[in-house]
Amino acid sequence: MSAPDRIAPPPADLGLAELASALTGGTTSSVAAVTDALDRIEASQPTLNAFRVIRRAAALREAAEADARLAAGVRLPLLGVPVAVKDDTDLAGEPTAFGCGGEFPPATEDAESVRRLRAAGAVIVGKTNTCELGQLPFTSGAAFGHTRNPWDRTRTPGGSSGGSAAAVAAGMVPAALGSDGAGSVRIPAAWTNLVGIKPQRGRISTWPLPEAFHGLTVNGPLARTVADAALLLDVAAGAHDGDLHTPAPIDARAAVGRDPGKLRIAVSLNIPFTATKTALDPEIAAAVHAMAGTLRGLGHTVTVADLHYGLLVGASFLPRSLAGISRVHRTMPGAVVDPRTTANARLGRLLDGPALFAARRLEPLLHRRIGGFFDDYDLVLAPTTATPAPRAEDIDGIGTSSTNALITGACPYTWPWNVLGWPSVNVPAGFTETGLPIGAQLMGTANTEPLLISVAAQLESVLHWERQRPTAWW
């Protein structure tokens, strides 16, 4: 008696590499996988609201072309695989609203990151929601409403890459690109039980911008597993001729499963300087300490040793961030935005001069001073956020000062690494008693993505966060 035929799992159950392998092996088709992704996206829009642009007709046409190429023996890393990109990224033929209201012309060319995804065979099913000009750890705006967390629809998935995070966490796509200017990949990854990589500045091109937000913002992957995040990083990585930052290439996938050796790891719960009241939630502190225990069990030397950031990190961040908001706002003359965005853009114009110049000059000093901490440690383990995900509506109808207090109180940990331009990886750290995901970040010096990825993969091999999925996002 022959063994019964094995039933292929639905595409939504497969990770990025698994789905690519299934397409290559012929156990599913790109049209089937892309149709399933689009159906899930459209079914979830009334509840999760993860997408600003859905490309059903174009994506299905591209999927059929991918199936023909697969049948002809063409092999590419992501041929026929559905993925999503954030709506701060140019996708030819689609507008780039960047969370704003108003009418915008379609982009005439793909961003470099999108060009590389397409060159690897990926099918872009749509563009995910982001807050106005990427300013908030919420994905909310008058132009589209609230994007919601698949683990608890009353909560935000984080921001500003919350649409990408919600799409991956809910199984609409196996992976997505986001961007991170103050934690905007790592924060939503923490709040949706995902791996989120903030790479070295320039690792993934921000072209058509030579750099984004004066070097603060980088593009990065969101996925359920370290291996899938590394795969998307490798596929999207690479420079455009006009980029200001061009780090030497790495092989992120090769770092998955590689023994990093016995490392010296500092656990730092110290909150970088903020002008508003902040405090670390006890459940998150306990989760970070539990992860430190896991790392000790893996053979690493783990020491509680606070990293002191100093005041100059903030002095470098604010002018670059606000001047960046101002410059992007000026390139979108038809944008309809919240008064808080208008106020930030106005302040950014004032800082876009000597203050910005001085802020950029601080970076080498900060590299030396904070880099000295790594004379004694190979990497740092820290909380990704200070609190679990807030309620989505908490950001509504409050003034600028209350907004600053809310977002700083929830998310004070991630932004210094954007000033430094160094890599950091969010890894899931479990759940609160009420079932909300929380995360921890592994932080390294320049170009240490392979080290961080190898340690993250070690943690995943023990903690198996990829097995935890939200069950009722609809």
Side-chain angles (χ1 to χ4, degrees):
M1 182 181 296
S2 61
D5 292 337
R6 181 175 297 174
I7 299 174
D13 289 348
L14 301 177
L16 190 70
E18 291 172 331
L19 185 51
S21 178
L23 287 164
T24 299
T27 59
T28 190
S29 69
S30 181
V31 167
V34 170
T35 299
D36 183 72
L38 290 164
D39 289 348
R40 287 172 176 271
I41 290 166
E42 291 176 352
S44 73
Q45 277 298 101
T47 50
L48 297 185
N49 188 26
F51 279 79
R52 185 72 180 262
V53 173
I54 303 170
R55 303 178 67 243
R56 177 172 281 274
L60 287 173
R61 183 172 61 252
E62 293 164 13
E65 293 168 357
D67 282 333
R69 297 174 77 189
L70 286 162
V74 176
R75 296 294 179 260
L76 296 170
L78 297 181
L79 184 53
V81 178
V83 299
V85 299
K86 182 177 175 180
D87 196 29
D88 62 348
T89 303
D90 286 349
L91 182 64
E94 304 292 349
T96 303
F98 207 166
C100 301
E103 297 295 324
F104 304 96
T108 57
E109 295 182 354
D110 288 335
E112 178 65 15
S113 58
V114 172
R115 187 193 70 77
R116 289 177 179 272
L117 290 177
R118 289 191 193 274
V123 176
I124 313 297
V125 293
K127 302 184 73 179
T128 57
N129 273 323
T130 179
C131 58
E132 291 177 5
L133 310 187
Q135 301 167 87
L136 304 172
F138 288 73
T139 299
S140 301
F144 61 88
H146 296 285
T147 297
R148 298 185 179 275
N149 195 317
W151 294 92
D152 181 341
R153 284 181 288 146
T154 69
R155 306 283 174 158
T156 180
S160 61
S161 305
S164 289
V168 176
M172 300 177 221
V173 289
L177 275 187
S179 62
D180 189 314
S184 289
V185 163
R186 290 162 288 161
I187 291 164
W191 286 345
T192 59
N193 195 53
L194 298 178
V195 176
I197 300 177
K198 175 220 171 295
Q200 176 72 25
R201 183 184 299 149
R203 179 73 60 210
I204 299 176
S205 175
T206 56
W207 191 262
L209 298 175
E211 65 174 7
F213 284 76
H214 305 289
L216 293 178
T217 296
V218 302
N219 294 322
L222 290 138
R224 289 190 290 261
T225 68
V226 176
D228 282 351
L231 171 57
L232 193 62
L233 176 59
D234 277 344
V235 164
H240 185 278
D241 287 344
D243 288 348
L244 291 181
H245 310 283
T246 55
I250 61 167
D251 188 341
R253 282 172 287 182
V256 179
R258 179 192 298 157
D259 183 0
K262 306 307 180 186
L263 303 176
R264 303 163 301 163
I265 300 174
V267 178
S268 177
L269 304 186
N270 186 48
I271 293 175
F273 173 79
T274 65
T276 57
K277 184 178 180 181
T278 56
L280 178 61
D281 184 282
E283 285 189 280
I284 295 179
V288 174
H289 281 299
M291 186 165 285
T294 301
L295 289 166
R296 290 188 185 99
L298 289 164
H300 302 296
T301 300
V302 184
T303 307
V304 175
D306 277 334
L307 172 56
H308 295 284
Y309 299 88
L311 300 179
L312 292 180
V313 180
S316 181
F317 175 78
L318 285 174
R320 294 162 71 172
S321 175
L322 292 170
I325 290 167
S326 178
R327 291 193 187 184
V328 175
H329 187 246
R330 289 200 299 272
T331 68
M332 303 175 70
V336 179
V337 297
D338 187 273
R340 291 169 288 188
T341 298
T342 303
N344 284 340
R346 186 181 301 117
L347 179 55
R349 285 196 296 273
L350 297 176
L351 296 173
D352 195 349
L356 176 60
F357 177 78
R360 296 304 301 262
R361 293 289 296 272
L362 286 173
E363 192 174 308
L365 171 63
L366 294 169
H367 283 164
R368 291 192 298 272
R369 195 180 65 75
I370 295 178
F373 188 82
F374 290 88
D375 292 342
D376 299 316
Y377 301 99
D378 298 302
L379 60 88
V380 174
L381 172 69
T384 302
T385 68
T387 71
R391 295 186 180 277
E393 286 80 6
D394 285 353
I395 199 67
D396 293 352
I398 58 177
T400 299
S401 61
S402 296
T403 298
N404 291 339
L406 172 63
I407 65 178
T408 304
C411 301
Y413 280 103
T414 48
W415 59 270
W417 248 242
N418 296 88
V419 172
L420 297 166
W422 294 344
S424 176
V425 177
N426 176 81
V427 290
F431 297 82
T432 67
E433 289 186 0
T434 58
L436 296 176
I438 51 181
Q441 56 176 336
L442 302 168
M443 304 147 67
T445 54
N447 302 304
T448 54
E449 293 102 321
L451 176 67
L452 302 179
I453 287 167
S454 66
V455 175
Q458 279 189 324
L459 287 166
E460 183 178 282
S461 71
V462 175
L463 300 176
H464 288 295
W465 53 68
E466 79 282 2
R467 297 175 181 172
Q468 301 289 331
R469 305 278 184 93
T471 56
W473 50 263
W474 56 89

